[in-house]
Amino acid sequence: MSELGESPLFAGHRHLSVDEARAAIRLSLQPVDGSQTLPLLQALGRVLDADVLSPIDVPPHDNSAMDGYAFGGSAMRPDAPTVLEVIGTLHAGQPFTAAVAAGQCLRIMTGAVMPSGCDTVVPQELCRVDGDRVTIPPGTVEPGENRRPRGEDLARGRPALRAGQRLRPADLGLLASLGFEQVSVRRRVRVALFSTGNEIQAPGKPLAPGCVYDSNRYSLAASLQRLGCEVIDLGLVADDPKALRATFERAIAEADAVLTSGGVSVGEADYTRQLMAELGDVAFWRVAMRPGRPFAFGPLHAHGRRAWLFALPGNPVAALVTFHAFVREALLQLAGASAQPFPALRLPCATPIRKRPGRTEFQRAIVEPGPDGRWAARLTGSQGAGILRSLSEANALVVLGHDQGSVNPGDEVTVWLFDGLV
Ligand code: AMP
Ligand code: MG
């Protein structure tokens, strides 16, 4: 990072490493303002606005962890059976106000409140029952066993969830267990998305000569949806400075971030560069990575508003890989989410890979159990930057770090699992 100096956006003409590019983006961004209150079931995937403190003890009372018999554990002796008289039955949700005296017990169901005089439960399958008499062999339970103490899960006033948490199913359950039916979350990040290129055509009609269908807008919109962003789809824009400027101005007016694909490669960059210079402070990076070398990032300004530009390469695999490598974490940061690095695994790679140090490579791979039952990665067919099928067939990316060399079959490699890339 030190080489990037005070303005991390400008790296001159040298190649940035993937890590340097990520760090420069991270240093530039602040979470967007604004929050809203939602019913729990509309809050899946949203980012918690503030710490949630528990308003109650969970569980709210000592209760039984087992179906069995509750009694005062101090009555047990290490060398002799404990014999108790059953004085009643207690179900979950039922109050019991009388005390249980020494020599007595209560039949108790899981979750029922521990009655006064009881601190221990013997599971029903571990004792002998004759009519209203229960015999517990010595050493079956310890005093205090099978009791869930009040506040064991969460004591009142303790933090249950931290601001920045992206709410998952267990978090929603936890909020409900505290009695909340609503939750305050940050507003969604608004991302304007468009594809550029005179040769790009929307799907739905036969292809015109020389054209290709627009796949990036679909793979990128879906990636944004998975991240919980609000997508503003601005469609397809021709390689025409006027049309581009109008679209950018609209995007800046409406969105927190602008995501484009195509038009940042060397051959096309000139007028894009000029437009970017007029609208903002964008750095055109040549990142030392494969696929996905051209990438532009920076603030754009129009009508008194600012939006962050992420300009991805046009090649469909490069567009998605650069999205995962740079944009995913940046958008989570804008959303106010706490840092969520990729779930990276180290797994053996069955396919040999030729690589030279000095750039990061992202190879499309299938992670599955091998013939010996151990999970391993193998590459999917052709790895060209435009071959989207290689990504569609894959369930993971093999990430070969900047300084790494070639991989021999069986060598361990770093793997990003797609289903963690949300
Ligand atoms: P570019 O970065 O604009 O030079 O584009 C690089 C390659 O990606 C070219 O072959 C483009 O035709 C292709 N490409 C650009 N945008 C898209 C898109 N939205 N969908 C599919 N392919 C694209
Ligand atoms: Mg293009």
Side-chain angles (χ1 to χ4, degrees), residues 12-321:
H13 289 289
R14 76 185 178 84
H15 282 55
L16 280 187
S17 74
V18 167
D19 285 346
E20 285 173 320
R22 282 157 77 115
I25 295 170
R26 193 168 54 240
L27 287 177
S28 304
L29 300 177
Q30 293 292 329
V32 298
D33 287 330
S35 60
Q36 64 183 128
T37 298
L38 290 177
L40 288 189
L41 284 180
Q42 290 174 26
L44 182 66
R46 300 296 293 270
V47 176
L48 204 57
D49 187 33
D51 290 355
V52 175
L53 305 183
S54 180
I56 55 168
D57 287 322
V58 184
H61 35 66
D62 288 7
N63 68 95
S64 175
M66 293 281 179
D67 290 344
Y69 296 88
F71 62 103
S74 61
M76 288 188 294
R77 291 230 227 94
D79 49 352
T82 306
V83 182
L84 302 167
E85 177 200 358
V86 185
I87 61 165
T89 299
L90 193 53
H91 293 275
Q94 217 180 18
F96 185 84
T97 43
V100 177
Q104 296 182 329
C105 69
L106 265 184
R107 179 156 162 68
I108 195 166
M109 303 304 160
T110 304
V113 178
M114 288 294 272
S116 76
C118 297
D119 64 358
T120 307
V121 175
V122 59
Q124 58 193 15
E125 60 277 13
L126 298 185
C127 55
R128 211 174 62 237
V129 185
D130 301 302
D132 64 355
R133 192 178 268 271
V134 167
T135 306
I136 308 168
T140 307
V141 283
E142 295 292 323
E145 224 178 326
N146 300 318
R147 176 184 59 118
R148 298 192 285 223
R150 167 186 180 146
E152 152 187 90
D153 189 349
L154 256 179
R156 186 178 167 164
R158 303 284 304 168
L161 290 169
R162 294 293 190 185
Q165 175 80 14
R166 281 190 83 206
L167 295 170
R168 301 159 307 151
D171 304 322
L172 297 178
L174 181 62
L175 288 167
S177 79
L178 304 179
F180 294 108
E181 57 174 357
Q182 297 183 325
V183 60
S184 174
V185 294
R186 285 174 171 274
R187 76 161 169 85
R188 289 182 192 277
V189 173
R190 288 189 282 271
V191 184
L193 170 68
F194 59 91
S195 298
T196 67
N198 291 336
E199 79 284 25
I200 309 300
Q201 185 185 317
K205 288 195 199 122
L207 264 183
C211 288
V212 293
Y213 287 123
D214 179 9
S215 60
N216 290 347
R217 209 152 39 92
Y218 295 84
S219 53
L220 293 171
S223 301
L224 292 170
Q225 278 170 19
R226 268 195 169 183
L227 274 177
C229 297
E230 188 182 320
V231 181
I232 302 168
D233 184 356
L234 298 183
L236 267 169
V237 185
D239 293 318
D240 162 53
K242 254 197 176 146
L244 271 174
R245 173 184 270 277
T247 309
F248 269 115
E249 289 190 354
R250 185 177 158 201
I252 300 161
E254 293 182 21
D256 306 299
V258 185
L259 186 62
T260 68
S261 70
V264 282
S265 62
V266 175
E268 294 174 306
D270 284 353
Y271 65 86
T272 318
R273 265 174 211 265
Q274 200 190 326
L275 182 57
M276 294 301 99
E278 288 165 31
L279 289 174
D281 199 5
V282 172
F284 287 76
W285 286 331
R286 288 177 301 157
V287 184
M289 67 188 287
R290 204 172 83 161
R293 206 160 54 137
F295 178 78
F297 166 74
L300 299 176
H301 301 275
H303 316 295
R305 291 199 80 251
R306 182 189 66 188
W308 292 98
L309 172 70
F310 299 91
L312 309 180
N315 268 317
V317 177
L320 266 182
V321 165

